[in-house]
Structure formats: C-alpha cells, structure tokens
Amino acid sequence: MSHISEILPAHHKHCDELFAAAEEAAQSGDWVACGEQSGRFVHDMLAHFDAEESLLFPAFESATGMSGGPTQIMRMEHGQMRELLVQLESALRAKDEETFAGVAETLLIMMQQHNMKEENILYPMCDQALGAQVERLAGELNTRLEQA
Amino acid sequence: MHPNLSFEQAPPISVPYRFFLTAPWFGVTAGLLLAWLGPDALESRWSPGALALSHLLTVGFMLQVMCGALLQFIPVATGGNVWRPRWVASLVHPIVAIAALCLAFGFALSQPLLIQIAVPLFAAGLGGFIAVVSFSLLRTPAHGMTIHVLRLALFGLAVTLILGIALASALGWQADGQASWSLVLISNVHAAWGLGAWALMLVIGVSYLVVPMFQLTPSYPAWLTRTVPFGILVAIGLWSLQLGVDGELVQSWLSVVALGGMLLAGLYAGTTLWLQALRRRRLTDITFVFWRGAMLALLGFVASWIALEVFPVLGEHPRAAIWLGMLALPGVFVSVISGMLYKIVPFLNWLHLQRLGGLKVLPPNIKQMLAEKPMRRQMRLHFASLVLLLGAVLWPPLTSLAGLSFAVSFLWLEWNLVGAVRRYIDFRSRALSDQVIDQTHADASSRVS
C-alpha cells in the first residue's frame, strides 16, 4: 500500500462498517451495544478527519498552491460531520431512537457524498500532485490511523 | 492542475427543485388520460393514447427529473462545472415541459400542429441542455466508470433526440399522418436508444455510486461496470443498422444482437439485487425497496421479451409491446426515480439549510424533512398501480381503475415532495428572520452603548 487512493478509501470502508453496526444496534434498541459501536465509530471518524487535516491537506496545499479549493470544502464538510457526530452522541445518551435514526441517515449521506468526492477526485489529485512524497505520506497516514 | 475545480459548485436549490416538482404532474396527467381513454388506449403501441402516455412518462416525468438531477449531480459527484446552471434551468425547464405537453397532446388529440410546435422546442431546449451538460462532463477531472457511463448516456440522449425529431417532423408535416413502414423502424430504434442508451444507461451510471453508497453494499465488479454499458451501447448500435441495411442475413442477426443487449440488462439487474442482498446496512428504507422493485421489473422485462421472442404467437399480439412498456416505464424507471427523489430532496433540504450560517436552531434532520410513513404508503400505491396496469394489459376492463390509481400515486408523490419543500421554506424564513432580529438587536445595543 503506497498511495493515498489506497490507504484512505480503505479507512472509509472501515468507518462504514462501524457506522452500520452502530445503526443496527440502535434500531434493535440495544443501547449498550450501540454505545460501544458508536464510540468506536466517532473516535475513528475524528481520527480520520484529523489525519487528513494535519497531514494530507497541508501537503496537497503546499504542493499545488491551492489552499482555497478542494481542501477548504473538505474541511468545511468535516465540520458539518463533526456537528452531526455530536448530535448522534446526544441522541445516544438520550436513548432517542427516532432522532438517532434521523441523524444517522443524514450523516450517512453526508459521509458518502464526501467520500465519493475524495475518492474520485481529491485522492487521485493528491497522488498526482505529491509525486515522490506520496509513499512517505501514505505510510504516515496509515500509521496515524492504525495508532488512533 | 485543474484551475476550474472548485469542488463546490452545487447549484442553487431552485435549479433541481423546479424540475422535481413539475415532473409528477406529467404522471398525474398520464394516469388521468389513461382513465379517461379507457381500454382503447392500450390496444396497441401505435394508438394515439399509447403514444401520448408513453411520452408523458418519458419526455414528461422521466426527462424532467433526469435533467434536474444531472444539473445537481454533475458538479457534486464529478466536479464538473455546469455553465450557468440557473440560466440553463430557467430556459430548459419550461421549454422541455411545454414541448412534452405539446407532443403528448399532439398524439392524444391527433393534432399535427402541436407536434410541429414540439419539434423546435425539443431541438432548442433539449439540444441546448445536452450541449451544456456534455461540455461539463468532457472537462471534468474526476475518475471512475460513472463519468464514462454518463457520457455514453448523454450520447444516447442526443441520438434519441435526433431520431425523435425526425419522427415528429414526419408525423407533424406529413399530410395523411399515417406511419409508414420506415417510420415504424425508426420508432423502434428511437425507443431502443431512449430507453436503453439514455434512460437505463443513466440509471446504470448513477447506480455505480448510489447503490453502494446508500446501503453500504460491495461495489459493482469492475469488469461488469465496463462490460454492461459498453455492451448495451454496441448492441443498440448494431441493432440500429436495420435502418440502413436490408436483407435476410441482417434480420436473422437482429434477434441475436437484441438478445445480447437484453441479457446484459438482465445481468445488471441481477447483479444489483445480489449486491443489495450483501449490504452491510441492514436497515430497509424506501429508496432501497424502490430500487429492488425496479430491478425485479427489469428482470421481468427481459424475461418477457425473451418469452415473446420464443412464442411468436404472443409476440405478435398488439398488446405485447404495451406489456413491455408497462414493465419498463412505470416498473423500472418510475420506481427508481421515485426512490431517488425521496433520498435526494430531504438531503438537499438539509444541506442547503445548514449552510445558511449563524443558525441558532439545528435544521431538521433528513427524516424530519420527509417522514417515512407517507413515503411508504405512496410506494405501496405505486407498486399496486403497477400491478393494476399490468393487469389492465391482460384484462382491459381494469384500465380506468389502473389509470386512476396511477394518477393518485403521482399526486401523492407530488404532495410528499411539496411537503418537504414547504418544510425547507418554513425553516429558512424562520432562520433568516431570527438573524435579522439578532442583527437589529445588535445594532440597537451598539447604539445604546
């Protein structure tokens, strides 16, 4: 694994798995399991955002000089998802199944359309723009996400 | 690099919504027309009623939603810049809507003048739309099969439009208005491009993204994502050669080519159902059921087509084509589109509201924008209408009931969508007036201090 477009999409899938497990637990009213799964999900999502914002985006911005374009939008969407994660945790604490389901549905579409943009457009652009740095950076991202 | 890539060119919400809110009215009209015309409309695909109904659904309902959805989807999913989307929408939307009405009522009332009006409107409105959208799809820096398949679909739409204009010109300006043999051939090819190379192609391209996205299914196998769309396009292209080449050898190959295309469509539907069965998200939502219904209808279409080829006694029956039309239009396309509208509209509401900035109250979540229960009930009525429509092909006395049920189903779809849009407008005006009050309050405080 040596490209951004291999490492990060795999982590998206990993977060999807955690999301599906948390949502399923909430739907069956198992709030203990939902708490565990949601905890892992929120933690790994935040780690993913942090890794991108502190390692990948700055590298992309300095390699291309594009600081107001794609990465700015991705940061904004991270902010929107962070807000939804907060709402998800509050629905979890209140054991409010209906709100949890509504926020989860909103978060899922938000996440998926965000991932689609990253996987189809941004990551391939990163691989192209970062040149020789790609392998090192992909390794760092991988380590960061594994340790999180 | 790509200086034009801003990543965030989602058009104003009014761009897609004007198409989405107009579209169901064409379905309502189709249902009422069918109820009014009764069994005669389904006697053969060449009856004025059948031509009107099929075009109300295709260039009316389907084309409206597909145009609106592409203007939204291309910038967001492919990073392609659509040139002045607000302008394009405000021209294309009314022109194509009026053209569709003229065409359908030109058929229904056998009025060549209406068809003559529809021809230049379609040429300008749809031709312009194809040009603008193709330009943005050719320039997008994004990767992935969806982009290629969308390009193929736009090509399919262009060919459909050209053949449609040729047919409508012949009908509109031909003194006796009778379809000649060559017009029948051109109609068949026009329908194949419209349904296969445009509408199904668009569904296929979009499904590569949305099927895995909404239900967390595995991705479509890479070989299939290439083979199915290109194979279908090649099959339709070869099948179209019948327009220029004659002779028995060609005739005997036509069925083989058509069978190849049909099997690819069946393979696609089967694969989609299989992927959905492997979904990681166990939650069964409305969009998922609509998709599953559509894919079963597509399998039913392919199986019916094969059965009609194998048993020519059935295949030569004038209602055979109507049966296929019911499976394709209400069965496959209306189902998929309804499911997608129910997913897209609440999300766009939410997305646009939470970007207003400075909100004191959180925007309603997706499920609060459009509740599950009315969607589910409307979906049941849609599938019940489909069964009635298929029943009416076999037993004509059912026709008017089927038409009414179909009309009510579309009316309900419209009602549900309007409800979601009203919730958007209410929240937006409340949020904006709060901001104004805040601002006034802040100004007043600063004056006092």
Side-chain angles (χ1 to χ4, degrees):
Chain A
M1 298 267 255
S2 57
H3 286 92
I4 309 296
S5 48
E6 288 160 4
I7 303 287
L8 294 178
H11 196 255
H12 285 162
K13 288 246 170 347
H14 163 75
C15 291
D16 288 350
E17 298 278 358
L18 297 176
F19 169 88
E23 191 187 38
E24 199 177 344
Q27 201 196 4
S28 57
D30 185 349
W31 291 105
V32 177
C34 180
E36 275 172 32
Q37 298 293 350
S38 299
R40 290 175 58 199
F41 167 66
V42 172
H43 176 267
D44 286 10
M45 285 284 283
L46 295 176
H48 188 96
F49 298 157
D50 290 342
E52 286 184 338
E53 289 172 6
S54 61
L55 291 173
L56 180 66
F57 296 171
F60 175 81
E61 285 159 1
S62 70
T64 61
M66 289 168 76
S67 58
T71 48
Q72 189 189 10
I73 301 297
M74 293 297 103
R75 282 195 172 93
M76 186 188 81
E77 293 189 352
H78 287 173
Q80 291 164 346
M81 286 185 278
R82 283 189 176 105
E83 175 57 41
L84 285 167
L85 291 172
V86 171
Q87 290 178 38
L88 196 75
E89 285 180 315
S90 112
L92 170 71
R93 277 194 301 277
K95 297 186 177 156
D96 179 346
E97 194 180 326
E98 207 177 304
T99 307
F100 190 95
V103 175
E105 177 78 27
T106 313
L107 179 61
L108 176 71
I109 306 184
M110 188 67 215
M111 253 162 77
Q112 296 302 318
Q113 61 91 37
H114 175 81
N115 293 353
M116 180 174 75
K117 288 189 238 179
E118 289 189 335
E119 292 175 19
N120 287 344
I121 310 173
L122 184 66
Y123 297 161
M125 280 171 79
C126 287
D127 282 332
Q128 200 187 340
L130 294 171
Q133 299 176 57
V134 164
E135 219 155 299
R136 182 185 53 77
L137 193 64
E140 276 178 41
L141 283 165
N142 200 26
T143 316
R144 174 82 78 96
L145 292 173
E146 274 176 0
Q147 286 172 350
Chain B
M1 290 308 294
H2 311 281
N4 284 326
L5 182 74
S6 76
F7 235 110
E8 180 51 22
Q9 312 102 338
I13 201 165
S14 66
V15 167
Y17 277 12
R18 72 189 73 195
F19 291 96
F20 296 168
L21 293 183
T22 309
W25 292 109
F26 284 97
V28 175
T29 311
L32 291 178
L33 187 68
L34 180 63
W36 181 56
L37 293 173
D40 287 353
L42 305 184
E43 272 314 308
S44 114
R45 61 183 281 218
W46 307 111
S47 75
L51 288 169
L53 291 169
S54 57
H55 286 87
L56 280 169
L57 291 180
T58 50
V59 292
F61 177 72
M62 286 161 57
L63 191 60
Q64 283 287 321
V65 181
M66 287 167 159
C67 287
L70 273 178
L71 291 177
Q72 174 70 37
F73 185 78
I74 287 176
V76 176
T78 76
N81 275 311
V82 175
W83 180 76
R84 293 178 184 262
R86 203 193 288 260
W87 263 64
V88 171
S90 42
L91 289 172
V92 169
H93 166 255
I95 292 177
V96 171
I98 294 168
L101 276 181
C102 287
L103 185 70
F105 282 93
F107 283 133
L109 308 171
S110 301
Q111 283 293 331
L113 177 65
L114 287 174
I115 297 178
Q116 287 171 14
I117 297 172
V119 169
L121 289 178
F122 271 125
L126 199 51
F129 177 81
I130 294 170
V132 169
V133 169
S134 302
F135 188 67
S136 63
L137 271 180
L138 288 175
R139 283 166 51 96
T140 171
H143 294 242
M145 270 312 287
T146 291
I147 314 292
H148 297 301
V149 179
L150 290 184
R151 289 174 186 149
L152 296 185
L154 257 293
F155 175 67
L157 179 61
V159 176
T160 311
L161 173 66
I162 291 167
L163 292 169
I165 285 174
L167 283 164
S169 306
L171 288 175
W173 279 276
Q174 189 173 285
D176 57 5
Q178 292 296 310
S180 68
W181 173 240
S182 67
L183 286 189
V184 172
L185 275 187
I186 300 173
S187 302
N188 288 339
V189 174
H190 164 73
W193 280 90
L195 296 180
W198 156 239
L200 183 61
M201 200 67 84
L202 184 63
V203 169
I204 291 173
V206 171
S207 73
Y208 291 168
L209 294 179
V210 301
V211 168
M213 192 168 144
F214 294 151
Q215 289 298 324
L216 303 179
T217 73
S219 299
Y220 283 85
W223 65 269
L224 183 127
T225 60
R226 286 187 296 272
T227 311
V228 166
F230 287 105
I232 288 177
L233 192 74
V234 168
I236 292 175
L238 288 175
W239 197 72
S240 309
L241 291 178
Q242 60 182 304
L243 288 182
V245 191
D246 210 357
E248 278 185 20
L249 185 66
V250 174
Q251 290 302 322
S252 64
W253 273 96
L254 285 180
S255 296
V256 178
V257 167
L259 178 66
M262 290 289 170
L263 289 177
L264 286 171
L267 174 68
Y268 163 74
T271 307
T272 305
L273 290 170
W274 172 66
L275 291 177
Q276 287 181 329
L278 297 178
R279 68 194 194 277
R280 280 171 286 160
R281 189 184 193 211
R282 300 318 298 176
L283 200 94
T284 306
D285 70 0
I286 305 294
T287 303
F288 170 73
V289 182
F290 265 123
W291 267 90
R292 193 149 59 173
M295 292 301 118
L296 288 171
L298 183 52
L299 283 180
F301 179 91
V302 173
S304 300
W305 185 88
I306 293 171
L308 295 171
E309 284 286 304
V310 174
F311 303 106
V313 186
L314 290 176
E316 284 157 15
H317 194 286
R319 282 174 172 262
I322 303 280
W323 172 267
L324 291 176
M326 292 298 182
L327 283 169
L329 301 180
V332 179
F333 295 113
V334 177
S335 304
V336 166
I337 289 172
S338 306
M340 291 300 293
L341 284 171
Y342 281 152
K343 197 60 118 176
I344 299 168
V345 168
F347 179 65
L348 288 183
N349 272 1
W350 179 84
L351 196 67
H352 283 268
L353 285 180
Q354 61 83 43
R355 282 181 188 176
L356 285 176
L359 292 178
K360 287 198 221 122
V361 187
L362 291 170
N365 67 49
I366 282 183
K367 289 196 185 220
Q368 292 161 336
M369 296 284 183
L370 185 40
E372 181 119 342
K373 203 183 268 181
M375 292 195 285
R376 192 173 292 279
R377 288 183 176 161
Q378 189 274 328
M379 179 182 72
R380 288 190 187 134
L381 182 63
H382 164 72
F383 284 120
S385 306
L386 175 61
V387 172
L388 285 172
L389 288 166
L390 289 168
V393 181
L394 304 174
W395 193 57
L398 266 183
T399 307
S400 293
L401 177 65
L404 276 181
S405 166
F406 198 47
V408 174
S409 165
F410 273 111
L411 198 61
W412 202 344
L413 172 66
E414 176 75 15
W415 177 257
N416 286 343
L417 296 177
V418 166
V421 174
R422 275 197 0 233
R423 244 150 267 146
Y424 168 83
I425 294 170
D426 287 350
F427 186 88
R428 189 172 188 276
S429 52
R430 261 206 327 271
L432 292 180
S433 65
D434 280 356
Q435 283 175 356
V436 172
I437 291 165
D438 269 7
Q439 192 57 46
T440 322
H441 182 71
D443 290 349
S445 310
S446 64
R447 275 199 300 274
V448 171
S449 62

